[in-house]
Amino acid sequence: ITVLGYDEFVPPANASGPSGFLVRPDGHFSFPLIGEVAVQGLTAGQLTEVLRTRLSEYLIDPKVTVNLAKLGGTRVYVLGEVARPGSYEIEKAHNLLDAVTAAGGPTKDGAKRNVYIVRRSKPNEYQKVNLLAILKKGDQSQNVPLGEGDAVYLTSNGRINFATDIMPFITATYYIDYIGNRK
């Protein structure tokens, strides 16, 4: 946000990014001289007009410019059979594919046909989606949008891995039989 001729309204740049005002989770930010400003639901043009009107009480015909440095991200949780389960802030489209990609994609044991989404707003309900339909067929109807606090869970495909699931039992049986025959 700049006000022509009033550089003192621009916060200095810091190490974490360009100069600007950070909108808090409550949809407000604090601007010099006028205090708290609500921005939730406003376009950049609407915010420009709000600031110009409020600054007009103190300045003569203020020239205000608003530029968005970064759109806010959506925090989602990706759990289960993904490479890196955890919480992720996804930007831009805020959809299933973005979230799973942020978590490193499904593991080899991930059941891509059985992906569950639990909405923060409806924690006792879930939505089942087919990630494989997105990946193989490009079915964007399965690439559902995600909201703040939603959780994505990839189930296990239930396949048996011979090396890790069967071989230890065969080896143990062999050793028990070997020990029993030595007596």
Side-chain angles (χ1 to χ4, degrees):
I1 298 172
T2 57
V3 181
L4 187 64
Y6 296 93
D7 293 338
E8 60 270 19
F9 291 141
V10 179
N14 57 43
S16 65
S19 65
F21 296 90
L22 181 64
V23 177
R24 298 185 306 265
D26 66 357
H28 292 77
F29 73 96
S30 184
F31 194 81
L33 199 60
I34 60 175
E36 292 294 301
V37 179
V39 298
Q40 188 169 0
L42 297 179
T43 66
Q46 290 168 330
L47 177 58
T48 300
E49 187 56 31
V50 166
L51 291 171
R52 192 194 64 70
T53 301
R54 291 195 47 198
L55 284 169
S56 292
E57 297 175 23
Y58 305 98
L59 306 173
I60 298 170
D61 193 27
K63 306 290 187 231
V64 179
T65 305
V66 173
N67 290 307
L68 289 162
K70 178 182 172 190
L71 291 174
T74 298
R75 173 83 41 198
V76 297
Y77 303 92
V78 186
L79 308 168
E81 293 295 332
V82 290
R84 295 181 309 275
S87 89
Y88 293 91
E89 186 168 323
I90 54 176
E91 296 178 1
K92 298 183 183 172
H94 305 190
N95 58 34
L96 173 65
L97 197 53
D98 288 343
V100 172
T101 302
T107 65
K108 65 178 174 55
D109 295 325
K112 295 172 203 73
R113 287 189 175 109
N114 297 317
V115 177
Y116 295 94
I117 298 172
V118 178
R119 305 286 180 183
R120 178 180 177 189
S121 60
K122 298 177 182 175
N124 296 326
E125 298 177 21
Y126 65 87
Q127 178 181 4
K128 183 178 174 182
V129 293
N130 184 343
L131 182 62
L132 196 58
I134 302 169
L135 300 174
K136 290 212 172 200
K137 299 175 188 172
D139 181 0
Q140 290 302 308
S141 70
Q142 298 293 304
N143 196 13
V144 297
L146 300 173
E148 183 68 31
D150 288 353
V152 174
Y153 182 76
L154 273 77
T155 61
S156 173
N157 59 21
R159 287 191 204 147
I160 296 173
N161 183 322
F162 185 80
T164 59
D165 298 330
I166 305 293
M167 195 61 187
F169 292 111
I170 293 173
T171 305
T173 304
Y174 170 78
Y175 281 120
I176 290 170
D177 185 53
Y178 176 77
I179 292 169
N181 288 332
R182 287 185 54 196
K183 292 184 180 181

